[in-house]
Amino acid sequence: MEKRYLLSIIIPMYNAGKYIDRCLSSCYHQDIDEIQYEVIVIDDGSTDDGYEKVMNWKMLHENLQYIHQENQGQSIARNHGMTFARGEYVWFLDADDEIEQNCLSYLLNELSAHNLDMLTFNELLSYDDGRSLVLDQFSMPYNMILTGEEYYKKGFKARTMHSSIVRFALISDNHLLFQTKRVGEDAEFCYKVMAYANRAEFINKTPYIYHVNIESVTQKNKNDPKVIIGKLQDALAVSDSLKQLALELKLKKPVLAVYIEKRVEQIIFGILYSVWKQRREFEKAKVLRPFIETLKEKGVLPFHIHFSQLKKYIFTHLFINRVLR
């Protein structure tokens, strides 16, 4: 598809009528002309008044697309949105969040001036009680233009995709898609994008505003053992996906493949440490034994780690492999 815009902003929406005005308002309080970017709202089968609210914005802005689909989840909605994207770059937003006013000029200039494949930034956490917190979620050096391989070497750990703007061709040329998960689809996608990036940069800016509702079901249930196990299962699926990515890259980019394998090892160790640490809570909830059996079936347990990582090696053999069996 011919690229008509510098940027496509893709927003999956599911029953977000309460928030979509705020999100779209932030997209249109910007310092560039609307002919330079587009906004694509993918309605994932909402049953509230989100449609009417988006239509009100669409009447005012020619660069706004509204697409409806049957409810299939955020990952499918994002993938669907990419099929309509006509921007050189793409930015994925959540409908209940917003972006900083007048941020697009700076971000697009940074992307263009340095010919970047991927630009990543911090996010501002905004709480319902008025508190705010800058989240530096990547711990990478700022203002350095490096390859994805070089960032992996520096210990890159993926988080959310709404903290990155990515060249659309990098996604399409490498046939990258979001996979359906309860959590973790962002991390998996982000790891893959970084692996293929030739020019990536991290900047100390907070153009993305993430709204935290401490009364939400997600926040209230975050310590539920069954919810935690679900997240660990998704993290395990991410590690499987990265193993496959390392195999695919082994011939063309053998050094990068090694770094990805090391990241897989770190993810798996993190999963096992979480299980070991919370084993009593998991056992009470009757989710420990089934998950241990899953780990055994996948060959994760007993866990093997090179003795060069002495502390992890000792901990693995004295605690993890002895307790989780």
Side-chain angles (χ1 to χ4, degrees):
M1 184 181 293
E2 181 184 354
K3 299 305 176 188
R4 291 180 50 191
Y5 301 98
L6 290 176
L7 176 68
S8 296
I9 296 174
I10 297 177
I11 309 171
M13 178 183 73
Y14 178 70
N15 287 347
K18 182 179 178 181
Y19 309 106
I20 192 63
D21 279 334
R22 179 178 67 193
C23 182
L24 290 175
S25 177
S26 74
C27 292
Y28 286 109
H29 279 84
Q30 291 301 325
D31 49 2
I32 63 172
D33 197 289
E34 290 182 17
I35 64 172
Q36 294 182 278
Y37 70 106
E38 65 176 343
V39 178
I40 305 171
V41 176
I42 307 295
D43 187 342
D44 188 33
S46 298
T47 57
D48 64 359
D49 60 350
Y51 167 79
E52 288 80 8
K53 292 187 174 181
V54 175
M55 286 301 103
N56 290 336
W57 285 93
K58 185 170 174 56
M59 290 173 61
L60 301 173
H61 302 280
E62 292 184 2
N63 67 338
L64 173 59
Q65 292 190 66
Y66 169 86
I67 313 296
H68 181 272
Q69 69 173 35
E70 295 300 315
N71 180 245
Q72 299 177 74
Q74 178 173 263
S75 293
I76 302 302
R78 284 172 164 178
N79 293 338
H80 195 187
M82 285 194 283
T83 66
F84 294 91
R86 293 168 291 174
E88 182 179 352
Y89 290 94
V90 62
W91 191 3
F92 300 99
L93 310 188
D94 289 348
D96 55 351
D97 295 332
E98 61 183 306
I99 60 175
E100 183 182 27
Q101 291 186 16
N102 299 324
C103 69
L104 290 186
S105 177
Y106 173 82
L107 295 173
L108 290 175
N109 284 338
E110 191 73 10
L111 287 158
S112 177
H114 300 295
N115 191 27
L116 298 176
D117 293 320
M118 185 176 188
L119 178 65
T120 300
F121 30 80
N122 299 325
E123 60 186 57
L124 181 70
L125 302 186
S126 177
Y127 293 86
D128 288 350
D129 58 10
R131 291 178 298 130
S132 61
L133 173 69
V134 174
L135 180 62
D136 179 358
Q137 56 182 345
F138 293 98
S139 301
M140 289 284 103
Y142 295 126
N143 306 117
M144 292 181 65
I145 299 169
L146 302 174
T147 65
E149 180 176 308
E150 289 169 321
Y151 274 119
Y152 265 98
K153 185 177 181 180
K154 290 183 176 294
F156 170 69
K157 296 178 182 178
R159 294 291 188 272
T160 57
M161 276 307 300
H162 56 233
S163 294
S164 295
I165 299 176
V166 180
R167 188 187 300 278
F168 186 75
L170 185 147
I171 296 172
S172 59
D173 290 352
N174 293 292
H175 312 290
L176 302 182
L177 293 171
F178 288 93
Q179 303 301 314
T180 303
K181 293 182 176 64
R182 283 158 291 202
V183 294
E185 70 272 11
D186 271 35
E188 179 178 351
F189 192 85
C190 191
Y191 275 124
K192 291 181 177 180
V193 169
M194 182 60 81
Y196 288 108
N198 290 316
R199 296 179 62 81
E201 181 185 17
F202 290 79
I203 56 173
N204 190 16
K205 300 285 185 180
T206 54
Y208 194 89
I209 303 170
Y210 180 90
H211 286 273
V212 182
N213 178 5
I214 58 178
E215 295 301 319
S216 70
V217 173
T218 301
Q219 290 294 316
K220 287 182 176 180
N221 291 342
K222 66 180 181 179
N223 294 321
D224 184 324
K226 293 180 180 178
V227 172
I228 297 172
I229 284 291
K231 291 179 178 180
L232 294 177
Q233 288 171 334
D234 284 345
L236 190 60
V238 170
S239 73
D240 288 340
S241 179
L242 290 182
K243 284 180 188 177
Q244 183 59 40
L245 178 62
L247 285 173
E248 293 170 2
L249 293 173
K250 207 149 198 172
L251 291 178
K252 291 183 178 180
K253 297 184 177 182
V255 176
L256 175 58
V258 170
Y259 287 123
I260 293 174
E261 288 169 351
K262 288 182 179 179
R263 186 71 196 105
V264 169
E265 188 177 79
Q266 292 167 355
I267 292 171
I268 292 175
F269 181 84
I271 292 169
L272 295 176
Y273 179 77
S274 294
V275 175
W276 175 83
K277 187 177 180 180
Q278 300 174 82
R279 62 193 183 280
R280 292 184 178 85
E281 290 85 353
F282 291 165
E283 194 164 21
K284 288 178 184 177
K286 298 181 179 179
V287 294
L288 177 63
R289 181 49 50 188
F291 191 52
I292 287 178
E293 292 305 316
T294 297
L295 294 171
K296 288 180 178 179
E297 289 170 8
K298 287 184 168 290
V300 174
L301 282 174
F303 185 51
H304 302 286
I305 190 168
H306 197 272
F307 64 84
S308 60
Q309 300 184 62
L310 188 57
K311 290 183 179 179
K312 288 183 178 179
Y313 178 84
I314 293 172
F315 190 89
T316 295
H317 287 275
L318 290 184
F319 298 101
I320 290 177
N321 285 344
R322 288 188 178 184
V323 175
L324 304 180
R325 59 181 183 180

